[in-house]
Amino acid sequence: MAGSFDQVYASWKADPQGFWAKAAEEIDWYEKWDKVLDDSNPPFYRWFPGAVVNTCYNAIDRHVEQGRADQLALIYDSPVTGTVKKYTYSELKDEVARFAGVLKGQGVEKGDRVIVYMPMVPEAAIAMLACARIGAIHSVVFGGFASNELATRINDAAPKVIISASCGIEGSRVIPYKPLLDEAIDISSAKPQSCIIFQRPQVTAELVEGRDYSWSELMEKAEPADCVPVAATDPLYILYTSGTTGVPKGVVRDNGGHLVALKWSMKNIYNVNPGDVYWAASDVGWVVGHSYIVYAPLFHGCTTIFYEGKPVGTPDPGAFWRVISDYNVSALFTAPTAFRAIKREDPNGEYLKKYDLGKFHTLFLAGERSDPDTLSWAGNMLGVPVIDHWWQTETGWSITANCTGIELLPIKPGSATKPVPGYDLQVLDEEGNQVDSGTIGSIVIKLPMAPGNLPTLWNNDEGYVKSYLSGFPGYYTTADAGYIDQDGYVWIMARTDDIINVAGHRLSTGGMEGVLSDHPDVAECAVIGVADQLKGELPLGMVVLKAGVARPDEDIIKELVKMVRQEIGAVASFKLAVVVQRLPKTRSGKTLRGTMKKIADGVEYKMPPTIDDPAILGEIAEALATLGYPKQ
Ligand code: COA
Ligand code: AMP
């Protein structure tokens, strides 16, 4: 779609349904929709009601039928195991169809839930696509989450089957998954009928007789299963994400809107063509992994890269350049943290000089704010545009971006560029009035939201309305604050809730506070996100002990760190905590987390007018200083 970006955006705004109907022509439907958008039941909206489709067919089968059978669909590159494995579209179809047969053999039917708790092995994608093939709803749980988090998701999704692997590999560490899975099943109230375990050579998991089955043994016996037509409005997957209460929210994704939006995004946002190699260096456990490792590149007939490694240390900071060069990658999508890690280890780009990045044309960053330093460094090193774009698990694709396939707009480091067609973005003050350009406020999306965005939360319409739609009627609250400048560029500045972004991973400080409060010596606590040069933010806990506790602070802190690791997972990166005498509060008893964060970050702050006792802030500053905050 050539032409100026502003023209394309205006054409969407003038006729949103016509715009998406045209985009939907790129999808193979069994039956077309009755209408493009059902807006008869606000604030609930459904895209393409009446249409019948299959996501897996659009990701794989149609490419096999239409000339891409021998093209590579997926390349698994695993520096941590020294493995490379390549699947053509035809080979991927065989694997997925056969695993769909395995699932059917386990009694999985359309609408049943299947939890996928796996590391970055291609079997994770095969499992997801197999679910889509038979209309089952997958829910992938990130491997870095501990049993407790997994159990919460099992309870909510009530899966018929859980698919897992014997282990994950983190750098040089092998992490057995099966004990975590067994514990999660033990503590959850919804028990799966069966578990399918992919045994990796590094660890052999013990299987529970009558409940657990080996992936490869079931595959040997299975008959391939065909695609099952589903309604466009049927759920494709549930992805749990951190919510403000510490209880994860089950974001629902539908089949039809998701297909249309993601297919559109590949050319228009990422400027890649069918046949190109596209790489999202993330994890299938996150939304980036769902949308841009598995689904969108396959919808578009690209080759996707499944990378099991890190940007540094596997084996060196040239890892990303090697992958780009080995497979002729056109576009890379990752989190700014990855580039901060590379920059820290190889500031002059010595490793880059060893590789020819030939076809590479654009770097895309998201997941957290791109600091202008990192963005400029990456741009200078790579000599390609570096695009910051902003989105959320809830939206499934970007809300604002530089739509490089339409027109590469001038890059303003620090801004995630402009709202993408599909999104009417506004900035509101606390009373819900639009603010002037340049003024910070709550960023909201005018309803209806774009195709592919969440239609609701799993089994929780009420929670969906309460969490996202009740703040400003008629709008979806993104919970990000920021502003739109005079050129229409959007600047995302901070979350308005308790979510923090640690190495691009979305975490709830409320969830961590819940864990700390369970310690028998803790009277009360607060967890804040403090600025970190590598991971963007790190959680830091401040705890007040119960009267009379005489144990050494260090012992209690060690226990707290261990508890968060056990309850939430290593991914929380919770390693900083300090004991304080009191927490600063407003006169109505609200803990002043924002002010404590400013003190920790060394940012100027105003004394909150409602503060109960200003002297406490001095005590907090002293406590933070013992941990070396603020950093110089
Ligand atoms: N399974 C088990 N443990 C995991 C895990 C997984 N899938 N993913 C991470 N962890 C563990 C890590 O090993 C680490 O454990 P440790 O505290 O014992 O060292 C901990 O969780 C924190 O992980 P992380 O924050 O990723 O730190 P790291 O030091 O391992 O790596 C980076 C730092 C910057 C290299 C890494 O975060 C990275 O590559 N980020 C890229 C961004 C990204 O993929 N974002 C996803 C959203 S787009
Ligand atoms: P997640 O749901 O894990 O994708 O996290 C979404 C949140 O990450 C957003 O609400 C933002 O707070 C943050 N985020 C994602 N992308 C960006 C970006 N490009 N700039 C600033 N913040 C971002």
Side-chain angles (χ1 to χ4, degrees), residues 142-144 170 173 282 310-311 335 337 503-505 535 565 570-571 575:
F142 177 61
E170 274 293 296
R173 273 183 307 146
S282 177
K310 302 256 172 185
T337 301
H505 309 314
K535 297 195 179 184
R565 201 177 169 92
V571 69
K575 293 181 180 161

Side-chain angles (χ1 to χ4, degrees), residues 507-531:
L507 296 160
S508 152
T509 54
M512 295 185 218
E513 288 177 4
V515 175
L516 302 187
S517 316
D518 282 343
H519 190 286
D521 294 340
V522 170
E524 60 172 336
C525 64
V527 175
I528 55 172
V530 296

Side-chain angles (χ1 to χ4, degrees), residues 4 25 98 230 250 299 329 336 352 369 385 460 480 550 561 583 616:
S4 92
E25 287 169 14
R98 193 182 288 252
V230 300
F299 294 162
V329 171
L352 188 54
R369 186 162 185 270
N460 192 4
D480 278 302
V561 168
L583 290 172
I616 303 180

Side-chain angles (χ1 to χ4, degrees), residues 117-120 142-145 168-171 173 175 177 180 281-283 286-289 309-312 320 333-342 344 366-368 391 501-506 534-535 538 565 569-575:
Y117 181 58
M118 287 189 113
M120 279 294 290
F142 177 61
F145 282 126
I169 297 157
E170 274 293 296
R173 273 183 307 146
I175 300 176
Y177 272 33
L180 298 171
S282 177
D283 188 289
W286 306 115
V287 67
V288 176
K310 302 256 172 185
V312 295
F320 275 19
F333 175 176
T334 191
T337 301
F339 269 78
R340 286 197 294 269
I342 299 171
R344 192 164 77 163
E368 54 177 323
W391 51 300
N501 254 288
V502 181
H505 309 314
R506 170 167 162 178
L534 175 64
K535 297 195 179 184
L538 279 179
R565 201 177 169 92
V571 69
S573 294
F574 182 83
K575 293 181 180 161

Side-chain angles (χ1 to χ4, degrees), residues 467-530:
S467 298
Y468 302 107
L469 309 179
S470 58
F472 302 102
Y475 298 93
Y476 164 90
T477 303
T478 65
D480 278 302
Y483 63 93
I484 302 181
D485 72 14
Q486 286 197 325
D487 301 323
Y489 278 56
V490 180
W491 300 72
I492 308 298
M493 305 310 286
R495 287 283 300 197
T496 56
D497 55 11
D498 74 347
I499 299 294
I500 57 171
N501 254 288
V502 181
H505 309 314
R506 170 167 162 178
L507 296 160
S508 152
T509 54
M512 295 185 218
E513 288 177 4
V515 175
L516 302 187
S517 316
D518 282 343
H519 190 286
D521 294 340
V522 170
E524 60 172 336
C525 64
V527 175
I528 55 172
V530 296

